[in-house]
Amino acid sequence: MRRTDELNLAHLKAAVDEAAHASLSGAGLDLRVLPSDDRAASDAWAQSVARGFLDRERSDEQSAHSFESAGSRRRLGVYDPSGPMPEVPVGTFASWIGDLSVPGDAEVTACAISAVTVAQTHHRRGIARAMMQGELNTAATLGVPVATLTVSESTLYGRYGFAPAAAAANWRIDRRRAGWLGPLPSGRFDYISRERWAALAPALHERVRRHAPGELSMPASHWTRFARTHPGAHEPGAVRAVQYTDDAGTVTGLVLYTVQENHDDYTKSGAQVQWLVADGPDAYAALWHFLLHLDLVGELRAGELSVDEPLWWLIADQRAAQVSVTDHHYVRVLDVPAALEARRYQAADVIDLTVTDPLGHAQGRWVLDVDESGQGSVHPLTGDSPQGAVRVGLGVQELSAAYLGGVSLATLAYAGRIETNDAFAAARVFAWPVPPRLSYWY
Ligand SMILES: CC(C)(COP(=O)(O)OP(=O)(O)OC[C@H]1O[C@@H](n2cnc3c(N)ncnc32)[C@H](O)[C@@H]1OP(=O)(O)O)[C@@H](O)C(=O)NCCC(=O)NCCS
């Protein structure tokens, strides 16, 4: 069995963290892992998550779907027995064990976290902190090297050691002004059903994501969410699905998009790319060519793109695009040797690395020895620095921010966030030519 699958089973079965349980018990609250076969508990949990994210009440159909697709995730609920609805959790938390792509076409096992909510009625009593610290303990105890999440607010998770490690670029393109410098597509395009899109997308994404640091394997239920094929999906008919087949007859690209009509002037309608996945430059250029030639569309929008998107070099007029960048995929290193040995490096060197971590998981001093092939080995270090080693002292947030190559250690040194005797040597080691990205939210 794969290491990730083994860890996933152990993670689903793990008991709640004792310290987290004790701290919430002290406040009269009960922290529990939801049994996967308890439909009523699952429905109540899903209602709490919906409320926490400003959504409407879940319909029976949606609740049934949540229950059926919940098996792959570990779900926690915090219950207040003194309230009028003691069966409805006042705190929720979900996580699963996935594979995070890291520099060098490699991957590391990650604990991906989502559905963190606390009812407004129970805010600011330490419920989120207890759940997060407890679940980080659980993941670290199981031997999961990193934790990841996407955020509703950027200020929430630094206190637990998370840092923005892969940024997202959000584009608005004046379609008519953009022009085109790229190759003309030679394959064929076909509209397909959303069901077919959801059937084809997982395998294509799995192939592509290995070359893109920051991408994460997705639970099956997420695909139906994107394709809006799950019961009770919001405006499912608004999504159009297209496949691109290359000259060899292989489907190498898929896109989902929505359109917004402009009734005052039809030619100024808008289109929003929901998800684009392309295996290779031919499919990539072809799909963007297709999108930039949608009739009646004035502005094309796309989010969660890379900060170094090849699209920039496919259009003739770069000022046709307005690009804004936001923090997106957050990473938290839990096990320094395992995390650092999982990725590859750009330059051979020896780094004397001291990491501070208020929660303790990543605290310590190591030597990172990178060989000519870019493989690093990590060993505990006490005493003197190895001869000629580059010294780097940093917090777990800074290490996590630089882990995928999304920020240069020289930039962090200039920002006063790390200490080093040679920022550029350290930066050369950790740099990576492909900036990290994550093409979705979770
Ligand atoms: C964000 C949320 C989960 C916090 O829950 P909570 O139980 O009130 O948080 P805690 O009491 O455990 O507070 C933990 C820390 O976070 C801080 N914090 C809580 N909410 C915050 C916010 N909205 N912005 C900034 N800091 C916040 C607290 O001040 C506290 O800081 P400290 O421990 O360093 O002093 C809750 O506000 C919520 O459910 N919001 C809506 C859903 C959401 O945005 N979830 C996050 C998904 S990414």
Side-chain angles (χ1 to χ4, degrees):
M1 192 188 282
R2 287 167 66 236
R3 174 88 179 127
T4 300
D5 297 331
E6 271 173 21
L7 280 172
N8 199 28
L9 284 180
H11 180 247
L12 286 171
K13 282 194 217 142
V16 290
D17 177 71
E18 278 178 23
H21 189 264
S23 87
L24 291 172
S25 284
L29 301 167
D30 190 21
L31 173 65
R32 300 202 287 265
V33 180
L34 266 68
S36 61
D37 57 355
D38 187 334
R39 171 71 198 267
S42 174
D43 289 1
W45 187 91
Q47 295 294 7
S48 292
V49 175
R51 186 181 54 202
F53 287 110
L54 313 183
D55 214 344
R56 295 171 190 192
E57 271 184 28
R58 289 270 179 270
S59 63
D60 288 346
E61 207 182 16
Q62 288 170 320
S63 295
H65 175 69
S66 297
F67 177 63
E68 283 154 21
S69 56
S72 59
R73 295 196 303 167
R74 171 179 165 89
R75 294 174 301 166
L76 296 189
V78 176
Y79 298 85
D80 182 350
S82 66
M85 291 198 292
E87 71 287 359
V88 178
V90 295
T92 63
F93 193 106
S95 54
W96 76 89
I97 303 296
D99 291 310
L100 174 70
S101 305
V102 295
D105 288 0
E107 53 190 17
V108 69
T109 305
C111 178
I113 294 166
S114 72
V116 182
T117 72
V118 173
Q120 193 71 35
T121 48
H122 289 66
H123 266 186
R124 311 300 181 263
R125 301 187 198 174
I127 296 177
R129 177 175 279 279
M131 292 192 293
M132 179 60 78
Q133 290 189 182
E135 288 303 277
L136 289 179
N137 283 343
T138 302
T141 306
L142 290 170
V144 182
V146 303
T148 60
L149 43 78
T150 54
V151 306
S152 59
E153 288 186 72
S154 56
T155 54
L156 294 176
Y157 296 109
R159 54 177 54 79
Y160 310 112
F162 287 89
N170 303 300
W171 284 56
R172 303 172 77 97
I173 314 173
D174 180 339
R175 189 189 71 75
R176 294 189 179 86
R177 183 177 165 184
W180 184 255
L181 292 179
L184 295 178
S186 57
R188 65 173 283 165
F189 300 94
D190 292 286
Y191 280 103
I192 55 173
S193 69
R194 288 177 290 112
E195 287 75 13
R196 176 170 165 81
W197 187 94
L200 292 176
L204 196 56
H205 175 68
E206 264 310 285
R207 279 215 302 280
V208 171
R209 79 163 180 86
R210 286 168 200 282
H211 311 299
E215 291 282 8
L216 182 75
S217 56
M218 265 204 284
S221 56
H222 279 55
W223 294 106
T224 54
R225 198 183 83 198
F226 287 118
R228 303 191 197 178
T229 49
H230 62 284
H234 180 64
E235 296 190 348
V239 182
R240 300 290 170 199
V242 174
Q243 71 178 27
Y244 173 73
T245 309
D246 70 8
D247 292 338
T250 307
V251 175
T252 51
L254 293 166
V255 64
L256 279 180
Y257 68 92
T258 51
V259 288
Q260 301 81 43
E261 288 167 41
N262 183 330
H263 292 287
D264 298 331
D265 181 347
Y266 238 69
T267 65
K268 291 189 177 141
S269 295
Q272 170 85 42
V273 180
Q274 302 291 336
W275 178 289
L276 183 149
V277 59
D279 188 4
D282 170 56
Y284 179 87
L287 287 175
W288 283 111
H289 185 271
F290 177 87
L291 292 164
L292 285 170
H293 290 82
L294 286 173
D295 284 337
L296 301 176
V297 167
E299 185 177 80
L300 179 67
R301 292 191 298 278
E304 290 82 55
L305 300 185
S306 162
V307 294
D308 189 16
E309 197 65 43
L311 178 59
W312 189 245
W313 301 99
L314 287 173
I315 55 176
D317 183 351
Q318 293 178 337
R319 291 194 189 179
Q322 290 171 33
V323 181
S324 62
V325 174
T326 52
D327 56 299
H328 182 43
H329 203 187
Y330 279 64
V331 169
R332 202 269 189 229
V333 172
L334 291 166
D335 179 332
V336 173
L340 293 186
E341 287 184 355
R343 62 158 286 186
R344 302 292 180 272
Y345 298 86
Q346 271 287 88
D349 216 330
V350 179
I351 310 258
D352 171 346
L353 188 72
T354 303
V355 184
T356 52
D357 179 355
L359 299 186
H361 303 296
Q363 178 90 21
R365 185 169 170 223
W366 292 271
V367 61
L368 166 66
D369 195 340
V370 178
D371 67 17
E372 290 298 331
S373 73
Q375 178 71 55
S377 57
V378 182
H379 306 285
L381 180 63
T382 48
D384 293 340
S385 241
Q387 182 87 28
V390 179
R391 287 192 306 281
V392 177
L394 77 188
V396 63
Q397 281 190 66
E398 287 71 25
L399 178 66
S400 301
Y403 178 57
L404 299 173
V407 61
S408 162
L409 286 186
T411 304
L412 291 179
Y414 207 86
R417 299 276 301 256
I418 70 169
E419 286 176 11
T420 175
N421 61 337
D422 192 339
F424 289 102
R428 270 193 296 277
V429 174
F430 274 79
W432 197 251
V434 184
R437 65 169 301 187
L438 174 71
S439 50
Y440 63 100
W441 288 83
Y442 61 89

